[in-house]
Amino acid sequence: MIPYIGDVSKNDAILLAEFAKSYNTILEFGCGASTQILANYARGLMISIDTNISWIDKTKENLKLLGI
């Protein structure tokens, strides 16, 4: 089970987790459920860029809830 809060399909979550495991650095544009998955499985540096402070705050809250 890949832990995340949001509207990402199970297949997409699996794909994101496999992607994160394959690279030492990840740059993501737009934070949300994908950020949670990538951050959980990232092997190194993971950067997520967003311009919406509400989304950033919500993503930070969800990361805390998931213990990531």
Side-chain angles (χ1 to χ4, degrees):
M1 168 77 181
I2 296 173
Y4 64 92
I5 301 166
D7 295 333
V8 173
S9 72
K10 181 179 177 181
N11 287 339
D12 286 346
I14 292 168
L15 180 66
L16 286 166
E18 290 303 315
F19 176 84
K21 293 176 194 175
S22 300
Y23 295 94
N24 292 323
T25 304
I26 299 169
L27 174 61
E28 173 191 43
F29 291 90
C31 63
S34 59
T35 308
Q36 300 160 42
I37 297 163
L38 292 169
N40 193 45
Y41 291 92
R43 298 183 329 161
L45 180 63
M46 197 271 176
I47 300 168
S48 183
I49 297 172
D50 205 304
T51 57
N52 185 322
I53 195 68
S54 296
W55 247 158
I56 294 167
D57 291 342
K58 183 67 175 169
T59 300
K60 286 180 180 180
E61 182 181 320
N62 287 339
L63 288 167
K64 277 186 190 177
L65 288 172
L66 295 168
I68 300 171

